[in-house]
Amino acid sequence: MTITLKSKTILITGATSGIGKETAIGLAELGATIVFTARDKQKAKSTKKEIIEKTGNKNIDHIECDLSSFASIRNFCKEYKSRYKKLHILINNAGVWNFKRKQSIDGIENTFHVNYLAPFLMTNLLLDTIKKSAPARIINVSSGLHRGTINFDDIEFKKSFSSMKAYSQSKLALILFTRRLAKKLEGTKVTVNSVHPGFIATDLGRDAGQITNKFFRLFGKSPKKGAETSIYLASSPEVETVTGEYFVNKKMTQSSKKSYDMDLAKRLWSVSKKYTGINKR
Ligand SMILES: NC(=O)c1ccc[n+]([C@@H]2O[C@H](COP(=O)([O-])OP(=O)(O)OC[C@H]3O[C@@H](n4cnc5c(N)ncnc54)[C@H](OP(=O)(O)O)[C@@H]3O)[C@@H](O)[C@H]2O)c1
């Protein structure tokens, strides 16, 4: 069966490099209107040009957004809603792996902010538009490294920072968010699933020093391969009604035991509301 996404509007965060860019190219090839976030104007322009050249699809747009600022996310959502009435597929792809503790523009530990609080806020702010566009899909790019727990006593690792623990926590948080949101969206024809893209040769290890960066480059699979599961979840009729699940290599897969703990998910939701200032239940 030939899949076409000609009538669909898709928003992808972090499409200026790596997996996000290949996801945008793959979905543009299927005819969708692609909107992507970018924090750097030059990178945004060259990414748009590259997607159009590679796919022949001219319906490519970008809107400025720095995911480490809640104000920037709020401005982005306002701008998105002024330009587009529909949002059929939201792909929360952008992410960082900070090897040293860094604070976001809002002064929050940056991994927690960009990888988790940003998609939490953006999704909630766009939910009215997504619901109006149903059937619709939300895809959260997590990681196979989502192990461990949510460190509620020191969620921003102020006392002692571990880059691995901060990254794992942010990715576990994204899966817990996925499962709780799926419950809240029952009956709306909006699905939400999470993804592990594989070990992929991208810029994710950019601030880890040359050795780690080289390790990613030498042993990782191609970004095109890394985009496959997100593209599958965005486009395949097979998963139209599947929700609250975790996918690896285009297959529904068990995630960690903790990621099924709905009490943890509920507590995290309430902490996230306080951080982001949203009023949803
Ligand atoms: N690569 C892997 O092996 C792997 C494995 C598991 C999961 N993942 C996940 O896959 C996703 C994509 O990562 P990738 O590997 O493709 O890495 P990447 O090449 O470094 O791409 C990350 C994207 O996120 C954007 N981004 C980062 N911080 C941002 C901010 N504050 N505001 C706005 N955009 C921001 C980057 O924008 P700029 O271009 O402006 O920097 C870039 O477009 C991430 O969520 C990552 O955790 C990757």
Side-chain angles (χ1 to χ4, degrees):
M1 193 191 11
T2 320
I3 293 173
T4 172
L5 296 178
K6 276 205 171 108
S7 57
K8 306 290 184 192
T9 304
I10 301 181
L11 169 59
I12 307 173
T13 65
T16 46
S17 75
I19 297 163
K21 192 197 276 182
E22 288 300 332
T23 305
I25 291 169
L27 293 170
E29 272 166 355
L30 297 177
T33 294
I34 305 287
V35 184
F36 65 90
T37 65
R39 54 182 168 166
D40 177 313
K41 269 195 189 131
Q42 272 323 102
K43 244 180 158 177
K45 273 190 192 164
S46 66
T47 301
K48 177 175 170 174
K49 191 166 170 271
E50 185 182 338
I51 300 172
I52 293 173
E53 275 169 10
K54 284 193 170 154
T55 66
N57 182 343
K58 294 198 174 93
N59 297 321
I60 313 296
D61 191 11
H62 54 83
I63 302 174
E64 194 181 326
C65 183
D66 189 326
L67 295 163
S68 74
S69 154
F70 294 142
S72 181
I73 296 169
R74 286 180 184 279
N75 285 339
F76 167 86
C77 291
K78 262 192 212 142
E79 183 59 28
Y80 181 91
K81 288 179 191 189
S82 77
R83 290 191 204 180
Y84 298 93
K85 295 291 157 249
K86 292 277 163 89
L87 177 52
H88 302 98
I89 300 159
L90 166 62
I91 307 183
N92 288 308
N93 163 84
V96 289
W97 191 345
N98 293 141
F99 279 72
K100 288 202 179 113
R101 192 179 186 283
K102 209 166 128 180
Q103 289 193 344
S104 67
I105 291 175
D106 294 326
I108 297 165
E109 192 281 308
N110 196 56
T111 324
F112 185 55
H113 191 151
V114 173
N115 292 7
Y116 171 65
L117 292 174
F120 177 87
L121 178 61
M122 187 177 284
T123 306
N124 274 299
L125 292 177
L126 293 173
L127 216 45
D128 49 352
T129 308
I130 296 173
K131 282 183 186 166
K132 274 191 267 166
S133 315
R137 305 177 187 198
I138 301 166
I139 296 147
N140 293 324
V141 181
S142 178
S143 167
L145 293 174
H146 67 272
R147 309 288 147 177
T149 190
I150 306 295
N151 192 14
F152 285 112
D153 292 339
D154 185 17
I155 210 159
E156 296 185 48
F157 298 95
K158 285 180 178 163
K159 290 179 205 149
S160 129
F161 182 74
S162 148
S163 64
M164 178 59 95
K165 279 188 186 161
Y167 185 75
S168 300
Q169 172 181 269
S170 70
K171 295 301 183 179
L172 171 63
L174 212 46
I175 302 180
L176 289 165
F177 168 54
T178 302
R179 296 206 199 286
R180 186 148 168 81
L181 185 60
K183 284 250 170 283
K184 286 176 183 277
L185 289 174
E186 270 169 14
T188 62
K189 293 209 165 118
V190 179
T191 64
V192 50
N193 291 292
S194 58
V195 173
H196 167 50
F199 178 51
I200 308 299
T202 65
D203 288 339
L204 191 65
R206 69 184 87 176
D207 76 345
Q210 278 188 356
I211 296 175
T212 310
N213 231 334
K214 261 199 181 141
F215 184 74
F216 266 91
R217 296 270 166 222
L218 279 175
F219 300 108
K221 292 189 179 153
S222 71
K224 193 168 179 186
K225 183 86 193 148
E228 280 181 1
T229 304
S230 292
I231 294 171
Y232 169 75
L233 281 174
S235 60
S236 173
E238 280 171 14
V239 285
E240 192 164 14
T241 56
V242 178
T243 191
E245 299 294 345
Y246 173 72
F247 284 76
V248 183
N249 279 331
K250 301 195 262 181
K251 292 212 163 47
M252 201 191 293
T253 307
Q254 285 273 112
S255 49
S256 72
K257 203 170 160 205
K258 272 269 188 265
S259 72
Y260 291 88
D261 183 338
M262 295 313 285
D263 289 334
L264 200 65
K266 195 173 172 193
R267 189 171 170 198
L268 177 66
W269 191 285
S270 133
V271 168
S272 315
K273 266 184 7 182
K274 282 190 193 129
Y275 266 107
T276 57
I278 64 151
N279 296 316
K280 294 223 163 48
R281 280 193 303 138

